[in-house]
Structure formats: C-alpha cells, structure tokens
C-alpha cells in the first residue's frame, strides 16, 4: 500500500533562512504526491502536487518541492522563510487500494524572527 | 467562488447524545471526503464519496459513525451515542475527481464531548 512519512515532528528556522520539510514515500507505480498546509485554527490548504513531468514542482506562497525517485522523497522547500510560514505541513499520497489520500503525520514549522 | 463550508463551527455535546455535522462542498465537485483531526495531530480518513459510486467507509472507527451525501452535494456526518474520545475537529473536503485532484478543505467542526 502507498504511504508517506514525515520524519520530523517539528522544524525550527530563522526568518530569511531556507526552509525544508521532509517527506518520503512508499508507492507502487508512478506516485501522485501532494503538500498541504494548515495555518493555526484554519482548515488545510493545497500547496502543490506532483503527478508527472518535471521533478521540481512550484506551488503557492513561494513553495516548491523536488521529486526524487531514487531517494523516494518529495521534500518541500522555500528559499527564504517568513514568520507567516509558521504552520503545520502535511505530505499526502493516494492509497493504492482506492482513491483516498493517506497523509503523513505532519511537521510543525516554526519560523522565528 | 465559495469554498467548502461546514456547520456548526463548534459543537459541545454531552456523552451519549447524537450529533450531526454538515458539509457543503464546492459546486461541481464530485468527490467529498470526511477526516478527523485530534488536537494538533494528523489526519484520520473517515469516509469518501465519489459521484454515484458506493462510498468508501473503510475509515469509520465504529458503527456509531455514519455519513450520507444527498443529491451528490451536501453531506452529513452523524455520530450516535457520542463518547469523549470522539472529541476532535472534523474536516470535510471536496475535489473535482479522484485522488489525483487536489482537495479543498472546509474550516472544520470542532466537536467537544463532555
């Protein structure tokens, strides 16, 4: 079955520094991979997705993610973090058996001024 | 345009009571999902509706939980005989199709069972 894992519960970064949120996947066939963000007391928002094509995917709010097949990773990146990027980030992929998404456990990002 | 809406935003109920949570998806979205999120935790899939197909109920934690989607639009999640462990934020999402499409989430219903 397809699954995703986020190895870090929390990431702390200073404002202006690069931000990376890690995600690894275990899938059969070609993966569909997503990143979502949840700001405090808000619902989840779609950031970006990888279906096929270019390994570097650009999304909302200046975020991008790199699909790496050899490392089975789909890390989320932002070159220069903002305090307003502090949120909970989820990686997700469809389950093999059906059409529902399986989510990683989430990574809390704290950007300090 | 209008996003996914959920009501109520907050619900406090006594243990043993039944509750109904409502979700209005984005117009034209054929897929609708319910998730549960415990305080500051990850997402737990509950149920998935896609068009006229039979719903995927594999995530419902017990037979106290049920959901329906009327006319391919509005959905109601019902929890019977609520327990304290049911306390969580219940999130609804809709999408244009199957899981290759991004999901649009509502703001959630915070359920507290006392």
């Amino acid at each position: 079955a397809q699954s995703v894992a986020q190895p870090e519960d929390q990431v702390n970064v200073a404002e202006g520094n690069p931000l990376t949120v890690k995600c690894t996947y275990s899938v059969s066939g070609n993966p569909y991979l997503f990143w979502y963000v949840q700001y405090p007391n808000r619902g989840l928002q779609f950031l970006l997705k990888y279906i096929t094509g270019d390994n570097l995917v650009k999304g909302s709010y200046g975020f991008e993610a790199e699909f790496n097949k050899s490392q089975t990773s789909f890390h989320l990146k932002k070159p220069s973090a903002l305090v307003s990027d502090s949120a909970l980030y989820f990686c997700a992929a469809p389950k093999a058996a059906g059409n529902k998404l399986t989510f990683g456990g989430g990574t809390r990002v704290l950007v300090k001024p | 345009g209008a996003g996914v809406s959920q009501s109520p935003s907050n619900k406090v109920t006594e243990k043993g009571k039944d509750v109904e949570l409502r979700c209005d998806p984005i117009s034209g979205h054929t897929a609708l999902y319910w998730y549960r999120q415990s305080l500051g935790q990850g997402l737990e899939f509950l149920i998935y509706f896609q068009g006229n197909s039979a719903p995927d109920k594999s995530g419902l934690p017990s037979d106290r939980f049920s959901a329906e989607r009327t006319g391919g639009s509005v959905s109601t999640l019902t929890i019977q005989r609520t327990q304290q462990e049911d306390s969580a934020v219940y999130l609804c999402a809709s999408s244009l199709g199957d899981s290759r499409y991004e999901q649009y989430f509502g703001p959630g219903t915070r359920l507290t069972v006392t």
Side-chain angles (χ1 to χ4, degrees), chain B residues 74-95:
Chain B
V74 172
S75 177
T76 302
L77 177 69
T78 301
I79 308 174
Q80 296 178 310
R81 305 181 303 280
T82 52
Q83 304 294 313
Q84 288 187 331
E85 60 263 29
D86 298 334
S87 296
V89 176
Y90 290 81
L91 293 169
C92 174
S94 69
S95 71

PDB file of all heavy atoms in Angstrom, chain B residues 74-95:
ATOM      1  N   VAL B  74     -24.604  18.102  -0.671  1.00  0.00           N
ATOM      2  CA  VAL B  74     -24.419  18.246   0.776  1.00  0.00           C
ATOM      3  C   VAL B  74     -24.227  16.887   1.438  1.00  0.00           C
ATOM      4  O   VAL B  74     -24.849  15.893   1.053  1.00  0.00           O
ATOM      5  CB  VAL B  74     -25.644  18.959   1.392  1.00  0.00           C
ATOM      6  CG1 VAL B  74     -25.579  18.953   2.896  1.00  0.00           C
ATOM      7  CG2 VAL B  74     -25.742  20.377   0.845  1.00  0.00           C
ATOM      8  N   SER B  75     -23.352  16.864   2.438  1.00  0.00           N
ATOM      9  CA  SER B  75     -23.113  15.636   3.187  1.00  0.00           C
ATOM     10  C   SER B  75     -23.314  15.893   4.671  1.00  0.00           C
ATOM     11  O   SER B  75     -23.041  16.991   5.176  1.00  0.00           O
ATOM     12  CB  SER B  75     -21.698  15.125   2.935  1.00  0.00           C
ATOM     13  OG  SER B  75     -21.433  13.968   3.709  1.00  0.00           O
ATOM     14  N   THR B  76     -23.804  14.848   5.347  1.00  0.00           N
ATOM     15  CA  THR B  76     -23.978  14.901   6.788  1.00  0.00           C
ATOM     16  C   THR B  76     -23.249  13.735   7.415  1.00  0.00           C
ATOM     17  O   THR B  76     -23.426  12.588   7.002  1.00  0.00           O
ATOM     18  CB  THR B  76     -25.475  14.828   7.163  1.00  0.00           C
ATOM     19  OG1 THR B  76     -26.167  15.914   6.541  1.00  0.00           O
ATOM     20  CG2 THR B  76     -25.645  14.916   8.673  1.00  0.00           C
ATOM     21  N   LEU B  77     -22.438  14.041   8.409  1.00  0.00           N
ATOM     22  CA  LEU B  77     -21.759  13.023   9.207  1.00  0.00           C
ATOM     23  C   LEU B  77     -22.488  12.936  10.538  1.00  0.00           C
ATOM     24  O   LEU B  77     -22.656  13.955  11.220  1.00  0.00           O
ATOM     25  CB  LEU B  77     -20.288  13.387   9.424  1.00  0.00           C
ATOM     26  CG  LEU B  77     -19.464  12.444  10.319  1.00  0.00           C
ATOM     27  CD1 LEU B  77     -19.260  11.101   9.620  1.00  0.00           C
ATOM     28  CD2 LEU B  77     -18.115  13.070  10.657  1.00  0.00           C
ATOM     29  N   THR B  78     -22.946  11.749  10.885  1.00  0.00           N
ATOM     30  CA  THR B  78     -23.690  11.546  12.113  1.00  0.00           C
ATOM     31  C   THR B  78     -22.890  10.664  13.056  1.00  0.00           C
ATOM     32  O   THR B  78     -22.367   9.628  12.651  1.00  0.00           O
ATOM     33  CB  THR B  78     -25.053  10.889  11.822  1.00  0.00           C
ATOM     34  OG1 THR B  78     -25.807  11.737  10.931  1.00  0.00           O
ATOM     35  CG2 THR B  78     -25.846  10.688  13.106  1.00  0.00           C
ATOM     36  N   ILE B  79     -22.811  11.110  14.283  1.00  0.00           N
ATOM     37  CA  ILE B  79     -22.178  10.308  15.324  1.00  0.00           C
ATOM     38  C   ILE B  79     -23.242  10.026  16.376  1.00  0.00           C
ATOM     39  O   ILE B  79     -23.793  10.958  16.979  1.00  0.00           O
ATOM     40  CB  ILE B  79     -20.986  11.022  15.967  1.00  0.00           C
ATOM     41  CG1 ILE B  79     -20.005  11.517  14.895  1.00  0.00           C
ATOM     42  CG2 ILE B  79     -20.263  10.079  16.927  1.00  0.00           C
ATOM     43  CD1 ILE B  79     -18.868  12.376  15.451  1.00  0.00           C
ATOM     44  N   GLN B  80     -23.527   8.762  16.584  1.00  0.00           N
ATOM     45  CA  GLN B  80     -24.527   8.367  17.563  1.00  0.00           C
ATOM     46  C   GLN B  80     -23.859   8.039  18.899  1.00  0.00           C
ATOM     47  O   GLN B  80     -22.718   7.570  18.940  1.00  0.00           O
ATOM     48  CB  GLN B  80     -25.300   7.144  17.067  1.00  0.00           C
ATOM     49  CG  GLN B  80     -26.106   7.416  15.804  1.00  0.00           C
ATOM     50  CD  GLN B  80     -26.827   6.172  15.308  1.00  0.00           C
ATOM     51  OE1 GLN B  80     -26.216   5.105  15.177  1.00  0.00           O
ATOM     52  NE2 GLN B  80     -28.109   6.312  15.041  1.00  0.00           N
ATOM     53  N   ARG B  81     -24.571   8.296  19.964  1.00  0.00           N
ATOM     54  CA  ARG B  81     -24.096   7.932  21.321  1.00  0.00           C
ATOM     55  C   ARG B  81     -22.640   8.383  21.501  1.00  0.00           C
ATOM     56  O   ARG B  81     -21.742   7.583  21.766  1.00  0.00           O
ATOM     57  CB  ARG B  81     -24.222   6.430  21.532  1.00  0.00           C
ATOM     58  CG  ARG B  81     -25.644   5.906  21.293  1.00  0.00           C
ATOM     59  CD  ARG B  81     -25.736   4.400  21.530  1.00  0.00           C
ATOM     60  NE  ARG B  81     -24.822   3.631  20.706  1.00  0.00           N
ATOM     61  CZ  ARG B  81     -25.017   3.318  19.442  1.00  0.00           C
ATOM     62  NH1 ARG B  81     -26.101   3.750  18.811  1.00  0.00           N
ATOM     63  NH2 ARG B  81     -24.128   2.587  18.778  1.00  0.00           N
ATOM     64  N   THR B  82     -22.438   9.679  21.374  1.00  0.00           N
ATOM     65  CA  THR B  82     -21.079  10.215  21.384  1.00  0.00           C
ATOM     66  C   THR B  82     -20.302   9.821  22.637  1.00  0.00           C
ATOM     67  O   THR B  82     -20.874   9.697  23.743  1.00  0.00           O
ATOM     68  CB  THR B  82     -21.081  11.743  21.264  1.00  0.00           C
ATOM     69  OG1 THR B  82     -21.953  12.293  22.253  1.00  0.00           O
ATOM     70  CG2 THR B  82     -21.506  12.184  19.892  1.00  0.00           C
ATOM     71  N   GLN B  83     -19.025   9.637  22.456  1.00  0.00           N
ATOM     72  CA  GLN B  83     -18.095   9.319  23.531  1.00  0.00           C
ATOM     73  C   GLN B  83     -17.044  10.420  23.610  1.00  0.00           C
ATOM     74  O   GLN B  83     -16.822  11.153  22.644  1.00  0.00           O
ATOM     75  CB  GLN B  83     -17.417   7.974  23.254  1.00  0.00           C
ATOM     76  CG  GLN B  83     -18.374   6.817  23.061  1.00  0.00           C
ATOM     77  CD  GLN B  83     -19.146   6.499  24.333  1.00  0.00           C
ATOM     78  OE1 GLN B  83     -18.562   6.410  25.394  1.00  0.00           O
ATOM     79  NE2 GLN B  83     -20.461   6.329  24.206  1.00  0.00           N
ATOM     80  N   GLN B  84     -16.373  10.508  24.725  1.00  0.00           N
ATOM     81  CA  GLN B  84     -15.376  11.557  24.893  1.00  0.00           C
ATOM     82  C   GLN B  84     -14.243  11.434  23.880  1.00  0.00           C
ATOM     83  O   GLN B  84     -13.692  12.453  23.432  1.00  0.00           O
ATOM     84  CB  GLN B  84     -14.824  11.552  26.316  1.00  0.00           C
ATOM     85  CG  GLN B  84     -15.835  12.070  27.343  1.00  0.00           C
ATOM     86  CD  GLN B  84     -15.248  12.218  28.728  1.00  0.00           C
ATOM     87  OE1 GLN B  84     -14.323  11.495  29.088  1.00  0.00           O
ATOM     88  NE2 GLN B  84     -15.778  13.148  29.502  1.00  0.00           N
ATOM     89  N   GLU B  85     -13.926  10.219  23.475  1.00  0.00           N
ATOM     90  CA  GLU B  85     -12.855  10.038  22.501  1.00  0.00           C
ATOM     91  C   GLU B  85     -13.235  10.515  21.103  1.00  0.00           C
ATOM     92  O   GLU B  85     -12.387  10.572  20.213  1.00  0.00           O
ATOM     93  CB  GLU B  85     -12.404   8.570  22.432  1.00  0.00           C
ATOM     94  CG  GLU B  85     -13.478   7.591  22.032  1.00  0.00           C
ATOM     95  CD  GLU B  85     -14.120   6.919  23.232  1.00  0.00           C
ATOM     96  OE1 GLU B  85     -14.161   7.536  24.313  1.00  0.00           O
ATOM     97  OE2 GLU B  85     -14.576   5.770  23.064  1.00  0.00           O
ATOM     98  N   ASP B  86     -14.516  10.872  20.925  1.00  0.00           N
ATOM     99  CA  ASP B  86     -14.942  11.419  19.638  1.00  0.00           C
ATOM    100  C   ASP B  86     -14.584  12.896  19.521  1.00  0.00           C
ATOM    101  O   ASP B  86     -14.705  13.480  18.438  1.00  0.00           O
ATOM    102  CB  ASP B  86     -16.460  11.279  19.460  1.00  0.00           C
ATOM    103  CG  ASP B  86     -16.913   9.828  19.466  1.00  0.00           C
ATOM    104  OD1 ASP B  86     -16.107   8.937  19.127  1.00  0.00           O
ATOM    105  OD2 ASP B  86     -18.084   9.588  19.825  1.00  0.00           O
ATOM    106  N   SER B  87     -14.170  13.497  20.605  1.00  0.00           N
ATOM    107  CA  SER B  87     -13.803  14.918  20.576  1.00  0.00           C
ATOM    108  C   SER B  87     -12.638  15.125  19.623  1.00  0.00           C
ATOM    109  O   SER B  87     -11.588  14.489  19.750  1.00  0.00           O
ATOM    110  CB  SER B  87     -13.424  15.397  21.980  1.00  0.00           C
ATOM    111  OG  SER B  87     -14.521  15.322  22.868  1.00  0.00           O
ATOM    112  N   ALA B  88     -12.840  16.016  18.666  1.00  0.00           N
ATOM    113  CA  ALA B  88     -11.828  16.249  17.625  1.00  0.00           C
ATOM    114  C   ALA B  88     -12.364  17.348  16.707  1.00  0.00           C
ATOM    115  O   ALA B  88     -13.493  17.823  16.879  1.00  0.00           O
ATOM    116  CB  ALA B  88     -11.557  14.988  16.811  1.00  0.00           C
ATOM    117  N   VAL B  89     -11.549  17.713  15.729  1.00  0.00           N
ATOM    118  CA  VAL B  89     -12.018  18.577  14.654  1.00  0.00           C
ATOM    119  C   VAL B  89     -12.343  17.688  13.460  1.00  0.00           C
ATOM    120  O   VAL B  89     -11.510  16.888  13.035  1.00  0.00           O
ATOM    121  CB  VAL B  89     -10.966  19.627  14.267  1.00  0.00           C
ATOM    122  CG1 VAL B  89     -11.437  20.446  13.071  1.00  0.00           C
ATOM    123  CG2 VAL B  89     -10.665  20.544  15.451  1.00  0.00           C
ATOM    124  N   TYR B  90     -13.546  17.837  12.948  1.00  0.00           N
ATOM    125  CA  TYR B  90     -13.977  17.052  11.806  1.00  0.00           C
ATOM    126  C   TYR B  90     -13.900  17.927  10.566  1.00  0.00           C
ATOM    127  O   TYR B  90     -14.533  18.973  10.485  1.00  0.00           O
ATOM    128  CB  TYR B  90     -15.394  16.516  12.039  1.00  0.00           C
ATOM    129  CG  TYR B  90     -15.394  15.445  13.103  1.00  0.00           C
ATOM    130  CD1 TYR B  90     -15.383  15.788  14.456  1.00  0.00           C
ATOM    131  CD2 TYR B  90     -15.342  14.100  12.754  1.00  0.00           C
ATOM    132  CE1 TYR B  90     -15.327  14.803  15.429  1.00  0.00           C
ATOM    133  CE2 TYR B  90     -15.292  13.114  13.725  1.00  0.00           C
ATOM    134  CZ  TYR B  90     -15.276  13.477  15.055  1.00  0.00           C
ATOM    135  OH  TYR B  90     -15.216  12.503  16.022  1.00  0.00           O
ATOM    136  N   LEU B  91     -13.089  17.474   9.613  1.00  0.00           N
ATOM    137  CA  LEU B  91     -12.832  18.244   8.408  1.00  0.00           C
ATOM    138  C   LEU B  91     -13.491  17.586   7.205  1.00  0.00           C
ATOM    139  O   LEU B  91     -13.465  16.365   7.056  1.00  0.00           O
ATOM    140  CB  LEU B  91     -11.327  18.337   8.148  1.00  0.00           C
ATOM    141  CG  LEU B  91     -10.521  19.135   9.167  1.00  0.00           C
ATOM    142  CD1 LEU B  91      -9.029  18.925   8.949  1.00  0.00           C
ATOM    143  CD2 LEU B  91     -10.837  20.616   9.067  1.00  0.00           C
ATOM    144  N   CYS B  92     -14.064  18.411   6.381  1.00  0.00           N
ATOM    145  CA  CYS B  92     -14.656  17.965   5.129  1.00  0.00           C
ATOM    146  C   CYS B  92     -13.846  18.552   3.984  1.00  0.00           C
ATOM    147  O   CYS B  92     -13.330  19.672   4.086  1.00  0.00           O
ATOM    148  CB  CYS B  92     -16.106  18.442   5.048  1.00  0.00           C
ATOM    149  SG  CYS B  92     -16.924  18.104   3.479  1.00  0.00           S
ATOM    150  N   ALA B  93     -13.711  17.810   2.906  1.00  0.00           N
ATOM    151  CA  ALA B  93     -13.002  18.294   1.729  1.00  0.00           C
ATOM    152  C   ALA B  93     -13.736  17.829   0.480  1.00  0.00           C
ATOM    153  O   ALA B  93     -14.407  16.795   0.500  1.00  0.00           O
ATOM    154  CB  ALA B  93     -11.565  17.782   1.713  1.00  0.00           C
ATOM    155  N   SER B  94     -13.596  18.594  -0.580  1.00  0.00           N
ATOM    156  CA  SER B  94     -14.168  18.166  -1.855  1.00  0.00           C
ATOM    157  C   SER B  94     -13.135  18.351  -2.953  1.00  0.00           C
ATOM    158  O   SER B  94     -12.174  19.118  -2.801  1.00  0.00           O
ATOM    159  CB  SER B  94     -15.458  18.936  -2.189  1.00  0.00           C
ATOM    160  OG  SER B  94     -15.198  20.298  -2.484  1.00  0.00           O
ATOM    161  N   SER B  95     -13.328  17.628  -4.048  1.00  0.00           N
ATOM    162  CA  SER B  95     -12.416  17.764  -5.178  1.00  0.00           C
ATOM    163  C   SER B  95     -13.162  17.460  -6.466  1.00  0.00           C
ATOM    164  O   SER B  95     -14.266  16.911  -6.453  1.00  0.00           O
ATOM    165  CB  SER B  95     -11.202  16.840  -5.031  1.00  0.00           C
ATOM    166  OG  SER B  95     -11.570  15.498  -5.214  1.00  0.00           O
TER     167      SER B  95
END
